[in-house]
Amino acid sequence: MTASHDHDDARNLEFLPNDGPLRENVRTLGAMVGRMLAEQGGEAFFERVENVRTAAIRRREAGAGISGLAGRLAGLSADDAEALARAFATYFQMVNVAERVHRIRRRRDYQLAGAAVQPESLADVLGQLKERGVDADELLAWIGKLDVEPVFTAHPTEAVRASLLEKEEAIVKALVADFDAHRPPPEREADAARMQMALTAGWQTAEASPVRPSVQDEFDHVGYYLTGSLYRVLPVFYEALERELKNVYGLEAELPRLLRFASWVGGDMDGNPNVGADTISETLRAQRAMVLERYIGECAHLQRSLSQTEDRVEVSAALRERLAQYTDQFLEDAMAIRPRHRDMPYRCLLTLMRARLEATLEDADSGYPNAAAFEADVALIADSLATHKGEHAGLFAVQRLLRRVRTFGFHLARLDVRQDSRVHDDALAALIGDAGWIERPKAERAERLRALAAGDETFGDNDDETAERLRAVFATLADARQRYGVTATGPYIISMAESAADVLAVLALARHGGLVDDEGRVPLDVAPLFETVDDLTNGPDTLRALLADPVYRAHLAARGDRQLIMLGYSDSGKDGGILAARWGLQRAQVELLEVAEQAGIELTFFHGRGGSASRGGARITPALMASPRGSVGGRLRMTEQGEVIHRKYGIRALALRNLEQTVGAALHASLRPRDPEEREDLWRERMVTLAAWGREAYRELVGDEQFVPYFRTATPIDVIERMTLGSRPSRRRSMRGVEDLRAIPWVFSWTQCRAIMPGWYGLGSALQRGIEAFGFDAMAEMARDWPFLSTLIDDVEMVLAKADLGIAEAFSELSGELHEHFFPRIRGEFERTRDVLLKLKQADALLDDDKRLSLSIRLRNPYVDPMSLLQVDLLKRWRAEGSEDGPLLRALVACVNGVSQGLQNTG
């Protein structure tokens, strides 16, 4: 076999009828990978990769065990193992790219065909709303209330270097250019050369730095998407919505701001000693600089485009006035304008606006005081063009800048701040002088904090380190409010919030830090985070007690009677299993909405979803349509993290598609949530029992006193803890139990060993007991007709399809005697869950009704398997040699990265 041999497995798989171009892209990119491997590693290395690949494919086709393939991979040197893992990971990168490009191709096909609209597109959503009786007035009223805010979080389970992201972008551009079938051969050859260059240079670049990323590195990673693809496509989204409003409803309306963005990077202190007042201050400064530089560049582009001269077209009097004002204010810059350009009013004004933006960047007094002042200047130009025949002479580009300014302001993204309630209690114990503070009843703590939260009492001086760190944080937030404006910072989120006292604590500590406005109030939205199953169960009572507190009620009234509640999908799943967590989240939303309605306040849910199904990751449209009626209400705030950020926003066309899906789903779920269902009361009653059974089965496993030692030996958690993925530790405290491990490395570890246990364990037991208790027909009806359960079952089905219990068993055997104690239970529950899902769905195989996803998994499995088996062998050797840093660890990290690429899920 030679390096030019085509990857014929892409041809042997049954691609869907419209997926021929995907098959060709996979084949072409696979051949490029082969040529690169032979060139960079030698023909012998390429032959080894090919032999392993074909052996893995034959094993899958024959349904054979793993021993033969494992034996072929055992005992490789660390360097050879690392190279082999990187080779397979490179293939996955190309398959992932090909699939993303194919999503763009499918979108274009819908647009070109014109007959049918793409599912979940804006045209689809508006068409459905019109069919369901939504008239233009009702639609516009809801659009006016819509507020969608993706929040990028500091959980870089996929911390890819920007240089590698840029190489991937070059490959995407070349593949997209190839949509044009009429390009001449020289252009195609040039693009092929560019792809080969990007691929080879990527091979010669380490996937991640050996140095653990700083908070600044994490900010740079998130900033890559905010100032790149999202900055570019944001106005395109509004143009698409305006176009579909006209097509479907015949409306021509000026759209308000519907979208904004937020970030936790630099503000998430929970469990991360590297985050505090200094990172909050630096992040706000850096975000401001980043977006100002984008505006400076866009003004430079516009000044070249808007070359209109005074003798050919009029401009508004207001624009001339502003130009005269800025000429006086920025005289040196005005004098630097070439004489031959001074009869171009738009160009001259934009030149001086750039000068004012640069002054803003340097914090000079002559800079813009806020984004509204810059927006007013841009609007002046837009108005002048609109009234002086400029609709087709630059207005379009100016309106795009206007959209960006209204969204990104001078802050780019709102910065949230988060801290654990127990840290607040530690500070309060020192400030109050009560070592037993944390042990006191919640009601007693709330009573003591009330006067402090209202400002009637103050803390004395104290040099306690925790108290001082928190004082500095709130002082920084007060300064940020003055320096960057009220839109630059988001809510203050309290992790592990359990009572009204936890919220009053933040108000008291904020006053201690000087975060008080001119009226003597704390200008801060405080959001409790309910993240365990018990927290979710008790959440309605916590909110009720909070709203009954006169001090907090006065605070909320000053904040417009709007309360934000964050819901934790991650820790609830780790705590009680997927069924109990999902039901806890569903029920909590219903009951919290009831409490809010009784109190006459507006409630917004902030969904703390992860990338994987076990952490709430799911397609946005079915997830929102399955949510409780009224839970969206025009407001959607959700986290975006890990590989999800890159998958959704790494390519401009896909970023646009995801913005359309998200806003469309929010609009649909707000205007026409699913119809009332008379059977739902009975289903809810049954689900209470089912969730309890699911939690019982799950806790029986993870609550076993030997489970933590088993987990630490049957998964690569010890490798993941050593990887330089993020700036914060993988544990909250010393690990006494599963509850002390963060949800991301928990899910990441189970995904790596291919069991993906958190995504399904306990569901099969619960559903089986439900069939026995309520009857098969009753359970099948719930699974078919209740969106809550049908969506959950679909999510779990996908996880089961990605899992491989044969490989999971190989990992489990690394735990020695504990293997026999735990793995039969895991295998038994897996088989039980798979069988009961197939029975309820009346399906013969997993993913029978999702051929595209099934194909994607089948395409990847033969390539994931060798890396997983390599990882088992390397893990055993690494631990035997004392788990030291060195070649074995580097090879293990390569395997972890490769499996992540293949499964497209980490945490």
Side-chain angles (χ1 to χ4, degrees):
M1 185 176 295
T2 66
S4 61
H5 190 276
D6 288 338
H7 278 216
D8 55 0
D9 47 296
R11 290 198 298 267
N12 293 338
L13 283 174
E14 280 186 38
F15 282 76
L16 299 182
N18 296 326
D19 286 354
L22 171 61
R23 180 183 63 238
E24 288 306 308
N25 282 166
V26 170
R27 183 190 62 79
T28 299
L29 292 172
M32 282 186 172
V33 171
R35 288 194 295 273
M36 182 273 293
L37 293 177
E39 175 193 89
Q40 297 295 305
E43 195 69 31
F45 172 60
F46 172 71
E47 289 292 341
R48 173 181 287 165
V49 173
E50 285 296 287
N51 289 338
V52 170
R53 183 180 69 84
T54 53
I57 292 169
R58 286 197 299 269
R59 183 191 82 83
R60 282 279 175 178
E61 289 174 346
I66 63 172
S67 58
L69 186 58
R72 184 185 286 264
L73 295 164
L76 291 178
S77 71
D79 288 346
D80 287 347
E82 180 182 2
L84 194 62
R86 290 191 66 216
F88 281 108
T90 302
Y91 175 77
F92 285 128
Q93 287 175 292
M94 294 305 100
V95 172
N96 293 343
V97 165
E99 289 189 335
R100 288 168 188 159
V101 168
H102 193 56
R103 286 183 61 197
I104 300 172
R105 184 184 290 110
R106 284 163 47 207
R107 178 181 172 86
R108 285 166 59 102
D109 288 346
Y110 274 107
Q111 292 170 335
L112 289 168
V117 297
Q118 186 174 17
E120 300 180 15
S121 65
L122 290 172
D124 181 37
V125 169
L126 293 175
Q128 289 187 53
L129 290 174
K130 190 173 185 179
E131 285 180 8
R132 295 187 65 183
V134 176
D135 62 25
D137 290 339
E138 184 183 11
L139 178 64
L140 289 177
W142 271 101
I143 286 176
K145 294 187 285 187
L146 207 60
D147 184 16
V148 175
E149 188 174 23
V151 182
F152 295 88
T153 70
H155 299 306
T157 48
E158 184 189 64
V160 181
R161 281 178 157 161
S163 57
L164 292 176
L165 295 175
E166 289 161 1
K167 291 173 176 59
E168 180 180 296
E169 187 177 345
I171 295 172
V172 169
K173 285 181 178 177
L175 291 175
V176 170
D178 210 39
F179 290 175
D180 179 2
H182 302 293
R183 290 200 309 153
E187 288 186 13
R188 292 174 182 272
E189 290 166 8
D191 273 344
R194 291 187 189 99
M195 289 194 288
Q196 195 76 54
M197 180 179 71
L199 192 59
T200 306
W203 176 261
Q204 295 177 353
T205 305
E207 291 79 8
S209 169
V211 179
R212 183 173 290 276
S214 65
V215 176
Q216 179 63 45
D217 293 328
E218 293 175 338
F219 167 72
D220 290 342
H221 185 72
V222 167
Y224 177 87
Y225 300 99
L226 285 170
T227 61
S229 55
L230 286 168
Y231 185 89
R232 295 283 297 276
V233 305
L234 179 96
V236 185
F237 160 77
Y238 282 99
E239 291 154 14
L241 181 54
E242 287 173 342
R243 182 174 59 252
E244 297 308 335
L245 283 170
K246 186 174 183 179
N247 290 341
V248 178
Y249 277 90
L251 289 172
E252 291 193 19
E254 177 69 22
L255 294 175
R257 178 191 56 74
L258 312 176
L259 270 167
R260 54 179 167 169
F261 301 91
S263 172
W264 279 15
V265 180
D268 184 9
M269 301 179 289
D270 181 12
N272 191 345
N274 301 308
V275 176
D278 56 342
T279 61
I280 293 170
S281 178
E282 176 56 26
T283 299
L284 289 168
R285 185 206 63 76
Q287 288 186 176
R288 180 170 176 264
M290 199 174 271
V291 75
L292 285 174
E293 285 166 357
R294 291 308 306 254
Y295 295 154
I296 289 169
E298 198 160 353
C299 284
H301 173 74
L302 285 172
Q303 76 184 48
R304 292 189 296 271
S305 300
L306 300 182
S307 60
Q308 290 92 327
T309 55
E310 293 173 334
D311 61 334
R312 293 298 176 90
V313 69
E314 276 293 316
V315 297
S316 68
L319 189 141
R320 288 188 179 280
E321 233 176 82
R322 186 61 49 84
L323 179 56
Q325 174 194 337
Y326 281 7
T327 299
D328 291 339
Q329 187 174 349
F330 300 96
L331 186 58
E332 188 176 333
D333 296 283
M335 295 299 293
I337 297 173
R338 293 181 180 180
R340 62 197 306 267
H341 293 157
R342 289 178 186 169
D343 63 341
M344 300 176 179
Y346 294 123
R347 181 170 191 150
C348 290
L349 179 57
L350 283 159
T351 300
L352 299 177
M353 286 166 60
R354 277 181 62 204
R356 196 172 187 192
L357 285 170
E358 286 164 355
T360 309
L361 198 55
E362 296 167 2
D363 286 327
D365 292 341
S366 57
Y368 284 105
N370 49 48
F374 176 57
E375 180 187 334
D377 279 354
V378 179
L380 264 183
I381 297 173
D383 291 343
S384 180
L385 286 167
T387 54
H388 294 94
K389 302 179 181 179
E391 182 181 356
H392 302 295
L395 179 60
F396 179 76
V398 175
Q399 287 175 329
R400 283 192 160 187
L401 175 57
L402 209 49
R403 287 287 185 203
R404 290 173 176 132
V405 177
R406 288 169 179 167
T407 300
F408 297 110
F410 277 0
H411 61 281
L412 184 63
R414 293 205 296 168
L415 181 64
D416 291 3
V417 177
R418 180 172 75 138
Q419 184 55 281
D420 192 316
S421 64
R422 291 165 292 192
V423 174
H424 299 151
D425 283 329
D426 289 343
L428 289 168
L431 290 167
I432 293 172
D434 182 356
W437 171 259
I438 190 64
E439 307 300 330
R440 298 196 180 282
K442 296 171 184 176
E444 183 181 335
R445 280 185 279 153
E447 180 64 31
R448 178 68 183 88
L449 287 168
R450 199 162 284 125
L452 293 161
D456 298 331
E457 293 183 18
T458 59
F459 295 113
D461 293 334
N462 195 292
D463 59 1
D464 177 78
E465 183 180 353
T466 301
E468 180 54 29
R469 278 176 59 88
L470 282 170
R471 188 205 61 76
V473 165
F474 288 109
T476 299
L477 291 175
D479 178 69
R481 182 179 170 83
Q482 296 299 318
R483 186 183 298 268
Y484 303 117
V486 298
T487 58
T489 54
Y492 191 102
I493 297 150
I494 311 169
S495 299
M496 297 295 172
E498 297 176 347
S499 69
D502 291 330
V503 180
L504 292 173
V506 172
L507 297 182
L509 290 166
R511 287 187 178 277
H512 181 58
L515 181 54
V516 182
D517 64 17
D518 294 340
E519 283 77 37
R521 298 176 298 211
V522 175
L524 185 68
D525 294 320
V526 184
L529 165 54
F530 301 139
E531 47 191 327
T532 67
V533 174
D534 287 342
D535 289 344
L536 291 166
T537 302
N538 299 327
D541 288 339
T542 301
L543 181 61
R544 192 175 288 110
L546 189 59
L547 296 177
D549 186 281
V551 172
Y552 188 74
R553 199 65 185 80
H555 168 78
L556 200 63
R559 304 300 296 167
D561 277 330
R562 291 186 293 269
Q563 177 65 53
L564 181 70
I565 297 285
M566 185 169 181
L567 304 172
Y569 289 67
S570 304
D571 280 287
S572 56
K574 178 166 66 70
D575 171 53
I578 191 166
L579 179 58
R582 289 283 187 96
W583 176 241
L585 289 157
Q586 184 87 353
R587 185 169 64 175
Q589 290 177 74
V590 171
E591 295 176 0
L592 287 164
L593 284 167
E594 291 172 354
V595 173
E597 185 177 3
Q598 292 165 6
I601 68 161
E602 186 178 276
L603 190 61
T604 299
F605 292 116
F606 177 11
H607 299 275
R609 298 177 182 272
S612 57
S614 51
R615 298 186 54 241
R619 283 176 45 231
I620 189 69
T621 299
L624 289 189
M625 294 309 293
S627 64
R629 300 171 192 86
S631 62
V632 180
R635 301 174 302 279
L636 178 62
R637 201 172 203 262
M638 70 287 180
T639 54
E640 302 278 31
Q641 56 190 252
E643 76 279 353
V644 172
I645 295 176
H646 185 52
R647 196 163 64 236
K648 285 187 174 182
Y649 306 112
I651 299 173
R652 289 203 299 271
L654 298 188
L656 176 61
R657 167 73 168 153
N658 278 289
L659 292 180
E660 290 184 2
Q661 286 178 304
T662 303
V663 172
L667 193 62
H668 197 170
S670 299
L671 269 160
R672 289 294 183 271
R674 53 198 170 84
D675 293 329
E677 171 55 72
E678 61 182 13
R679 297 170 292 176
E680 199 161 329
D681 287 342
L682 175 61
W683 292 342
R684 289 176 181 277
E685 184 181 324
R686 288 174 181 163
M687 186 52 66
V688 171
T689 303
L690 291 167
W693 286 337
R695 187 180 189 186
E696 177 187 321
Y698 178 83
R699 292 303 309 178
E700 185 182 356
L701 178 74
V702 303
D704 189 302
E705 62 181 12
Q706 291 298 310
F707 185 78
V708 169
Y710 173 71
F711 167 68
R712 295 200 62 82
T713 49
T715 76
I717 179 60
D718 43 351
V719 176
I720 290 166
E721 288 173 339
R722 298 277 280 277
M723 291 174 69
T724 57
L725 286 172
S727 67
R728 72 180 188 172
S730 60
R731 312 176 195 173
R732 283 191 168 92
R733 295 168 296 279
S734 61
M735 190 170 173
R736 297 167 304 215
V738 168
E739 65 275 8
D740 289 333
L741 185 74
R742 292 194 175 279
I744 292 169
W746 164 254
V747 175
F748 198 174
S749 300
W750 285 110
T751 303
Q752 283 291 314
C753 76
R754 307 286 294 279
I756 327 182
M757 184 275 288
W760 50 266
Y761 201 96
L763 179 64
S765 289
L767 293 178
Q768 186 58 48
R769 290 178 71 174
I771 290 171
E772 293 165 3
F774 310 127
F776 175 80
D777 290 343
M779 289 298 297
E781 179 186 57
M782 286 175 65
R784 182 187 65 243
D785 296 344
W786 191 15
F788 165 74
L789 185 55
S790 63
T791 300
L792 172 59
I793 285 175
D794 286 346
D795 291 345
V796 171
E797 183 182 16
M798 180 270 291
V799 175
L800 294 174
K802 286 188 173 184
D804 188 304
L805 267 285
I807 289 174
E809 183 172 19
F811 275 93
S812 180
E813 287 169 352
L814 297 175
S815 68
E817 295 178 356
L818 294 175
H819 168 70
E820 288 300 329
H821 182 62
F822 286 102
F823 193 75
R825 293 152 71 179
I826 292 173
R827 180 181 287 282
E829 182 66 12
F830 178 89
E831 292 173 350
R832 185 179 302 112
T833 305
R834 179 198 61 205
D835 293 347
V836 74
L837 258 60
L838 291 176
K839 189 175 179 183
L840 288 171
K841 295 190 75 168
Q842 298 183 357
D844 296 323
L846 295 171
L847 299 180
D848 257 4
D849 55 357
D850 193 339
K851 299 298 185 186
R852 178 162 278 112
L853 179 56
S854 177
L855 169 67
S856 178
I857 293 171
R858 287 170 57 214
L859 190 61
R860 285 172 166 78
N861 274 337
Y863 300 85
V864 183
D865 296 350
M867 289 187 294
S868 293
L869 296 174
L870 262 178
Q871 193 177 158
V872 172
D873 181 62
L874 292 166
L875 196 55
K876 183 176 182 179
R877 290 155 55 191
W878 179 63
R879 288 171 178 170
E881 293 180 14
S883 304
E884 300 286 340
D885 289 346
L888 283 174
L889 180 59
R890 287 197 301 272
L892 278 164
V893 169
C895 290
V896 169
N897 288 333
V899 172
S900 298
Q901 291 275 358
L903 297 181
Q904 292 192 295
N905 275 121
T906 54

